Amino acid sequence: MKKIYLTLTLILSIFTTHAQNFDVRKLTLKSDVILLYDQDSIAYIDEVINDHTTNHFYQLKAVTQTIKNSASFKFTNAKLPYLLENEDYFKIYQKEDCMGVGKVFDGVKRKFYGMLFLQKKGKNYEAIGTVQNDDPLSVWQELIKQIQSVSTLEKIKDPKERYTKSIDWFLDNNTLPDENFIKYYKQKGILKTDTAQLTEQQLARAKGLFFNGNETFLDLIASTNQTEIRDYYLQKLKDIVFQSEYEFGDCVRFRRIVCMLTKDFNENYDDLNRVLSDLLTKDELESYEKRPIMNHLIDLIEKKTYQIGTFSASKL
């Protein structure tokens, strides 16, 4: 039987971190085939061409689970070329980071898994993403469920329904629609502005998630009750100031929230209160010296000395 060869291009994306750190929705929708495999089933092949070129391949010997196959793909022990950083201008796992063979934890040999995302181009398949880590199979099953939930979106043909269901998916998965998503639905006439629009039920859900501490959805609710959002962040400032010691990250967050709630001190870079705010991130001051500054800034916000700025997660 003629083998199916899978070619890699410079747009290949390799994800080296935990599965949740990449855009699952986008990668799933772009992929025609998604395969889960045991990392022990990958063989690495180096073919030396000359003194300055080596072609690199990995060969998938077996598939643990076919998660998506919308292109009638048939696994045939495919041999896949891959590109190396500083040789082919591309970053990929090194062999020692990928191989599960011989890894032992607590005296028990464990299996390690990877996931391959393929896109059909003509008669060939291109790998557009790979995920590998040391998570147990149960964790991978959670990712598989998330991928399968995305797959239901591409079956929806009506743009309005697909937009609404996609917003539901974003809420379910604690993430936000990206710029391309917004541009597409604006181009289709479903959105009239450059911001996502939610149904009343979706907005209520987003607000509930936000006020329970999930600030991911700040941008989705930013145009609603500004006083309510202001009070939420005012309480966050008070939570910080009540701490006995302030880490650098606490001071940075405090300063950024203050800038957002004061419209960056009415955009006056010479404002004395802005100068005081900047002192919070200076190592020269101890926590007990920063506390009066924090209390002073909180007092200014409570007295509404400045306008409320634009609420955006990018400011935090």
Side-chain angles (χ1 to χ4, degrees):
M1 182 183 294
K2 184 178 179 181
K3 290 184 178 180
I4 300 176
Y5 285 88
L6 290 81
T7 59
L8 297 180
T9 68
L10 289 176
I11 64 169
L12 169 64
S13 300
I14 300 296
F15 300 92
T16 62
T17 56
H18 189 276
Q20 299 302 317
N21 290 341
F22 66 91
D23 194 330
V24 178
R25 186 192 70 91
K26 185 176 292 185
L27 187 55
T28 298
L29 293 174
K30 285 180 178 290
S31 301
D32 295 302
V33 180
I34 304 175
L35 307 172
L36 180 73
Y37 58 87
D38 180 341
Q39 288 186 35
D40 286 351
S41 70
I42 286 190
Y44 295 85
I45 304 167
D46 294 338
E47 294 182 356
V48 179
I49 305 303
N50 51 42
D51 63 357
H52 62 276
T53 302
T54 299
N55 289 336
H56 307 277
F57 302 88
Y58 54 81
Q59 193 164 22
L60 194 59
K61 300 176 181 178
V63 173
T64 303
Q65 181 178 346
T66 300
I67 302 163
K68 178 181 178 181
N69 186 4
S70 59
S72 301
F73 172 80
K74 294 181 180 180
F75 174 73
T76 55
N77 199 25
K79 180 180 175 184
L80 297 86
Y82 65 82
L83 308 176
L84 283 181
E85 186 181 20
N86 299 325
E87 182 173 325
D88 305 302
Y89 304 101
F90 199 81
K91 186 175 182 180
I92 197 169
Y93 276 105
Q94 300 299 312
K95 293 180 185 177
E96 58 267 24
D97 295 328
C98 293
M99 295 296 284
V101 179
K103 287 187 179 180
V104 178
F105 287 80
D106 299 326
V108 179
K109 188 176 184 298
R110 287 174 45 197
K111 285 188 176 182
F112 299 93
Y113 297 89
M115 192 174 289
L116 188 63
F117 298 79
L118 308 176
Q119 187 179 76
K120 188 174 183 181
K121 293 290 183 70
K123 295 183 179 180
N124 297 321
Y125 291 82
E126 295 178 349
I128 60 172
T130 301
V131 180
Q132 288 184 332
N133 57 43
D134 294 345
D135 286 335
L137 187 58
S138 59
V139 176
W140 283 97
Q141 292 301 327
E142 290 302 311
L143 175 59
I144 290 171
K145 289 179 183 177
Q146 194 176 20
I147 289 171
Q148 290 171 339
S149 70
V150 175
S151 296
T152 63
L153 297 176
E154 61 188 333
K155 298 176 183 178
I156 302 173
K157 303 304 180 184
D158 179 68
K160 289 185 178 180
E161 182 184 358
R162 179 158 170 166
Y163 170 81
T164 301
K165 295 295 185 183
S166 294
I167 294 295
D168 287 335
W169 187 91
F170 288 124
L171 292 170
D172 288 340
N173 291 275
N174 297 320
T175 188
L176 291 173
D178 61 21
E179 184 180 2
N180 286 341
F181 178 91
I182 299 299
K183 284 183 177 179
Y184 173 77
Y185 285 103
K186 185 178 180 182
Q187 176 181 303
K188 298 292 288 185
I190 293 171
L191 294 178
K192 305 301 181 184
T193 66
D194 292 329
T195 57
Q197 295 177 8
L198 281 63
T199 65
E200 290 185 8
Q201 293 82 359
Q202 289 171 338
L203 182 58
R205 187 179 174 199
K207 290 178 69 174
L209 291 167
F210 174 82
F211 288 114
N212 280 323
N214 190 336
E215 296 181 14
T216 300
F217 301 113
L218 174 58
D219 290 354
L220 290 182
I221 69 166
S223 61
T224 61
N225 192 320
Q226 287 202 328
T227 300
E228 196 175 12
I229 299 173
R230 167 189 168 275
D231 291 345
Y232 170 89
Y233 279 110
L234 187 58
Q235 184 58 52
K236 294 300 178 184
L237 295 180
K238 292 179 180 180
D239 291 342
I240 293 174
V241 80
F242 287 152
Q243 296 173 192
S244 58
E245 296 291 332
Y246 309 131
E247 300 291 338
F248 178 74
D250 297 325
C251 296
V252 170
R253 178 165 166 79
F254 190 98
R255 179 182 173 279
R256 288 177 177 173
I257 292 175
V258 168
C259 286
M260 186 172 67
L261 296 184
T262 62
K263 199 177 180 182
D264 209 0
F265 299 96
N266 287 344
E267 300 178 349
N268 181 2
Y269 289 88
D270 296 324
D271 191 298
L272 176 60
N273 291 314
R274 180 188 177 88
V275 176
L276 289 173
S277 175
D278 290 343
L279 289 175
L280 295 176
T281 56
K282 303 297 182 184
D283 294 333
E284 291 80 1
L285 294 184
E286 299 294 334
S287 291
Y288 74 90
E289 295 174 298
K290 294 178 180 180
R291 188 169 292 109
I293 297 175
M294 290 182 174
N295 281 321
H296 168 70
L297 294 171
I298 289 173
D299 187 55
L300 292 175
I301 294 168
E302 288 185 320
K303 290 180 178 178
K304 301 180 181 179
T305 307
Y306 297 93
Q307 302 174 43
I308 299 176
T310 302
F311 292 123
S312 172
S314 64
K315 297 180 180 293
L316 301 172

